[in-house]
C-alpha cells in the first residue's frame, strides 16, 4: 500500500488548476482596461472587481488543495508539511479579507506575505531528517532516495522560488510595470511544486 494516498495527487494537481484557471477566467470577465502584467491576482478578487467570485473560488480552492496535500504528503518532514499547510491557511485568510479599493486591507497584505513566504521555503524543510542523517548515502537505512541529491534539489527549488518572490517584491515596492506578471510567475511556481513533490514521492515508492 502506498504511503502517500492517491487523493494527495488530486489535491496537488488541483492547486495550479484552481489558481491559473481562476485568474484566466477572472481576467476574461474584467473590463478591457484590466492589465494582468501590471495588476495583481488579488485585484481580480477585490471587493470592487467584476465577477470577483471567480478568483475568490480559485484562491479558496488553492488554499484547500495545499492543506489537503500537506496532510497527505506523509513522506515529507513535519516542518515542510507544516509550512505547506501554513501557506494554504494563509491563502484562505486572504480570501476572507479581500483587497479593498480604498485604504487596502492590512490583514490581506500580511496573509499574502505569509502565504508567499511559507510556500517558497517549505521545499527546503521537506526532506526527512532520517534521510539526511543516513550514514551510507548510496543505501540509506530506510530505503529512501539518496539524501544528498534530495536535499540539494529541495534547496535549489526553494532558492528559485525565493528568487521569483524577491523579483515580485522589488516590482511591488518600486511600483514597477510588471507587478502582476512577477506575482503570477511566483504564484504559479509555488502552486506547481507540491504536485512535483507528490509525483516524486510516488515514483520513489514504486522504485522501492
Amino acid at each position: 500500500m502506498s504511503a502517500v494516498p492517491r487523493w494527495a495527487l488530486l489535491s496537488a494537481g488541483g492547486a495550479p488548476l484552481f489558481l491559473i484557471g481562476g485568474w484566466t477566467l477572472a481576467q476574461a470577465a474584467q473590463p478591457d482596461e484590466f492589465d494582468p502584467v501590471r495588476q495583481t491576482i488579488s485585484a481580480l478578487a477585490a471587493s470592487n472587481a467584476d465577477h470577483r467570485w471567480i478568483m475568490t473560488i480559485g484562491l479558496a480552492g488553492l488554499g484547500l488543495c495545499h492543506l489537503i496535500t500537506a496532510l497527505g504528503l506523509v513522506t515529507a518532514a513535519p516542518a515542510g508539511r507544516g509550512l505547506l499547510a501554513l501557506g494554504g491557511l494563509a491563502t484562505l485568510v486572504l480570501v476572507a479579507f479581500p483587497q479593498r479599493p480604498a485604504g487596502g486591507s492590512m490583514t490581506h497584505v500580511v496573509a499574502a506575505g505569509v502565504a508567499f513566504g511559507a510556500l517558497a521555503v517549505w521545499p527546503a524543510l521537506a526532506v526527512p531528517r532520517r534521510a539526511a542523517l543516513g550514514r551510507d548515502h548510496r543505501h540509506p537505512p530506510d530505503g529512501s532516495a539518496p539524501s544528498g541529491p534530495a536535499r540539494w534539489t529541495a534547496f535549489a527549488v526553494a532558492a528559485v522560488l525565493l528568487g521569483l518572490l524577491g523579483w515580485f517584491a522589488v516590482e511591488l515596492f518600486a511600483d514597477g510595470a510588471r507587478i502582476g506578471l512577477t506575482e503570477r510567475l511566483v504564484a504559479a511556481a509555488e502552486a506547481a511544486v507540491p504536485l512535483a513533490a507528490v509525483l516524486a514521492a510516488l515514483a520513489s515508492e514504486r522504485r522501492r
Side-chain angles (χ1 to χ4, degrees), residues 43-201:
L44 295 170
S47 58
N48 65 330
D50 289 351
H51 304 285
R52 61 180 298 268
W53 62 270
I54 300 175
M55 196 66 244
T56 298
I57 291 175
L59 290 172
L62 173 67
L64 288 173
C65 282
H66 284 328
L67 285 172
I68 295 170
T69 302
L71 180 65
L73 193 56
V74 295
T75 56
R81 293 173 67 194
L83 281 177
L84 177 57
L86 176 61
L89 181 60
T91 301
L92 294 178
V93 172
L94 69 86
V95 170
F97 296 89
Q99 178 179 300
R100 296 195 299 268
S105 170
M106 182 56 65
T107 303
H108 181 90
V109 172
V110 172
V114 171
F116 275 123
L119 293 174
V121 173
W122 84 270
L125 302 180
V127 178
R129 183 174 176 80
R130 60 182 181 181
L133 295 179
R135 294 181 179 180
D136 189 341
H137 293 298
R138 294 171 300 174
H139 304 287
D142 62 348
S144 61
S147 62
R151 290 169 63 191
W152 287 113
T153 298
F155 290 152
V157 170
V160 170
L161 294 177
L162 286 170
L164 290 172
L165 181 56
W167 184 20
F168 167 56
V170 169
E171 288 288 328
L172 181 64
F173 290 113
D175 196 24
R178 295 181 294 272
I179 297 175
L181 174 62
T182 54
E183 183 190 33
R184 283 161 176 76
L185 286 175
V186 65
E190 289 184 343
V193 168
L195 175 58
V198 170
L199 289 173

